Amino acid sequence: MPGPARPSGLRAALQGLTTRGRSFLAAGLTAALCAYLFGQSALFQVGVLLAVLPLASALLLVRTRYRVASGRRLSPQRAAAGQEARVHLRLDNVSRVPTGLLLLEDKVPYVLGPRPRFVLDRVEPRGFREVSYRVRSDLRGRYPLGPLQLRLSDPFGMCELTRAFTAADVLTVVPQVLDLPPVRLPGESAGQGESNTHALALAGDDDVIPREYRHGDDLRRVHWKSTARYGELMVRREEQPLRARATVLLDTRETAHRGSGPASSFEWAVSAAASISVDLVQRGYRTRLLTDTGRAHPQHGANTTTAETVGVLLDALAVVEHSDGGGLNRAEEVLRLGGEGLLVAIVGDLDEDQTERLARLRRRAGGAVALLLDTGTWSGLRHLFPDSADEQADTAIGRLRAAGWTVLPVRAGDSLPALWRAADRTQNSVPYRDEVGA
């Protein structure tokens, strides 16, 4: 709860005279001047009364000694795009005298709606009042709420003083999360989450899947060929417990998406990444979000709960923006050092080089699913070059499937739950042929 607010300063009070107060003051001074010029004592008394009333009201506000404090609570703290959130305000009178007329106004961004205003006529000593309002945004992001402004007014409406509290809160608007059907994903082991099953790393130089050296690793496990190749100390994977891992790769390249606003292909991809990430976390996968910039979320801790992981992922997706990158090389570097497990890629337009890079990532994953967006259907311009667009898409789909990916073509208006159902590994019998170079 922020510090209390109290009006102070006669000059500030005079500056806070309302239109009514200034009109009374001007009328009083004019009447007093006319009375002096024409010798009308009765008119002079009326003028003095009119001029004194707004000044007395301002003085009354200045000498008011009550103190108030405010608090704000959001329900929920994270709201999905298009979902309403309620903001609860509480005003406490921490003084020993009742307040006068109070006007509350909370500062909110214009995308959340108009500024809420409330009128409180009186708050008893040590009492409080609670009010609430709703906000809603179709655009994800982080939006500041506050600070709360308090307007003090005298009973005659002659003077108003505005005081602002210092505290503010942040409403996080996250992408829409859709419920996905349960499916058996490519590369999924029988034991999800923690498993007592163990696996042995392949011992051959050509088949070994190395990882970076970690403090405490046995130096006898150093794989020198991989160390020379990657330029850092790498060790051979040995017997280790199987734990379901997943990486959701989101293509944020501005050149790879079409459309604008909530109806763009980029926003569809962000919502899909949120839905798939949450579904995998809830199914026991140790899930991370990776963008083409190479930035990964979250950094897992030993005691990270499901709710905390979901919160970190949604917070990251709430503020993700377009990148100016032209390829997937930075994401490939991250996956090269630790890409085992399930890989789900949500990508936009791909040229030949990017398709090859994405195909190579299959070697680092136990299973791979690609949602390939036909972004031309979001722009409405696909009909201008339908043959070339179809040819490019077919080439990318064929190359990825040949590399072992389960590819789900996506068009504007497609339902993510229906597409996800098509990723069921029992419905996909495309064999994995290792045709991609290291």
Side-chain angles (χ1 to χ4, degrees):
M1 183 175 294
R6 179 176 64 187
S8 62
L10 181 58
R11 179 178 300 178
L14 293 177
Q15 293 176 349
L17 288 176
T18 63
T19 301
R20 178 185 299 177
R22 293 175 181 175
S23 299
F24 268 68
L25 182 60
L29 294 178
T30 302
L33 180 59
C34 292
Y36 175 77
L37 294 177
F38 298 106
Q40 298 291 329
S41 58
L43 181 59
F44 182 79
Q45 294 174 356
V46 172
V48 171
L49 177 62
L50 293 176
V52 167
L53 184 58
L55 297 177
S57 298
L59 183 61
L60 177 65
L61 285 182
V62 170
R63 296 183 61 84
T64 300
R65 296 300 179 184
Y66 59 81
R67 296 165 60 89
V68 293
S70 72
R72 182 186 294 100
R73 178 171 55 88
L74 307 181
S75 178
Q77 289 282 349
R78 296 183 183 92
Q83 174 189 355
E84 286 188 343
R86 185 173 289 275
V87 183
H88 301 270
L89 299 175
R90 172 168 170 153
L91 193 72
D92 288 82
N93 181 9
V94 297
S95 63
R96 298 181 180 180
V97 296
T99 69
L101 184 66
L102 301 178
L103 293 89
L104 303 182
E105 179 178 316
D106 208 11
K107 185 178 181 180
V108 301
Y110 72 94
V111 296
L112 298 182
R115 287 192 178 186
R117 295 179 174 87
F118 306 94
V119 178
L120 304 178
D121 55 356
R122 183 180 183 275
V123 182
E124 64 276 6
R126 306 298 181 182
F128 67 91
R129 294 289 185 272
E130 290 183 329
V131 295
S132 64
Y133 62 93
R134 296 179 180 180
V135 292
R136 178 179 179 275
S137 174
D138 293 327
L139 301 175
R140 57 186 176 79
R142 291 172 59 86
Y143 300 101
L145 299 177
L148 181 66
Q149 290 185 338
L150 177 66
R151 293 184 181 181
L152 312 173
S153 179
D154 67 285
F156 303 103
M158 300 288 179
C159 184
E160 278 188 2
L161 292 181
T162 300
R163 293 291 181 267
F165 293 90
T166 57
D169 291 280
V170 176
L171 174 66
T172 302
V173 179
V174 300
Q176 289 186 347
V177 177
L178 305 176
D179 293 329
L180 301 182
V183 297
R184 298 282 291 176
L185 297 171
E188 180 180 356
S189 62
Q192 298 179 5
E194 297 292 345
S195 174
N196 293 324
T197 307
H198 289 71
L200 292 175
L202 300 177
D205 286 342
D206 295 331
D207 298 326
V208 69
I209 301 179
R211 62 166 172 81
E212 69 277 10
Y213 174 83
R214 298 169 186 167
H215 180 71
D217 285 338
D218 190 346
L219 292 178
R220 290 175 297 181
R221 294 169 52 195
V222 173
H223 190 254
W224 297 110
K225 184 176 180 180
S226 297
T227 298
R229 178 181 179 184
Y230 295 126
E232 58 180 309
L233 206 58
M234 307 293 289
V235 297
R236 178 183 288 106
R237 296 180 184 276
E238 295 183 356
E239 186 176 358
Q240 54 184 325
L242 285 176
R243 184 176 183 180
R245 297 171 180 262
T247 298
V248 178
L249 173 61
L250 175 63
D251 184 3
T252 65
R253 295 171 299 133
E254 186 173 11
T255 57
H257 292 278
R258 299 291 182 271
S260 59
S264 65
S265 63
F266 180 64
E267 292 301 325
W268 193 98
V270 172
S271 178
S275 303
I276 294 172
S277 298
V278 171
D279 180 72
L280 293 176
V281 171
Q282 293 175 345
R283 292 175 59 178
Y285 283 84
R286 187 175 181 181
T287 307
R288 65 174 174 176
L289 172 70
L290 177 66
T291 67
D292 57 287
T293 63
R295 188 171 184 181
H297 303 273
Q299 300 298 328
H300 288 279
N303 300 318
T304 303
T305 65
T306 297
E308 291 172 341
T309 302
V310 169
V312 172
L313 291 172
L314 292 181
D315 286 347
L317 287 169
V319 297
V320 68
E321 298 179 349
H322 282 296
S323 70
D324 55 2
L328 304 174
N329 55 313
R330 282 178 285 186
E332 184 180 9
E333 292 174 359
V334 175
L335 291 170
R336 183 190 64 186
L337 300 178
E340 72 282 0
L342 175 65
L343 174 60
V344 180
I346 307 165
V347 295
D349 292 335
L350 298 175
D351 58 22
E352 184 176 349
D353 177 69
Q354 293 153 6
T355 302
E356 290 298 325
R357 286 185 177 275
L358 189 61
R360 281 200 298 267
L361 296 181
R362 175 62 181 85
R363 290 177 58 88
R364 302 291 176 180
V369 179
L371 280 74
L372 188 58
L373 277 62
D374 185 354
T375 60
T377 60
W378 269 271
S379 66
L381 300 177
R382 192 176 188 277
H383 64 281
L384 297 179
F385 308 99
D387 294 337
S388 60
D390 288 338
E391 182 180 355
Q392 183 178 359
D394 291 343
T395 300
I397 293 173
R399 187 68 190 92
L400 292 176
R401 284 178 174 168
W405 284 81
T406 298
V407 183
L408 306 176
V410 184
R411 298 173 64 91
D414 284 350
S415 167
L416 177 62
L419 289 169
W420 194 242
R421 188 176 292 109
D424 196 317
R425 73 177 184 182
T426 62
Q427 303 178 23
N428 294 276
S429 58
V430 178
Y432 170 43
R433 301 194 303 273
D434 186 6
E435 300 178 358
V436 183

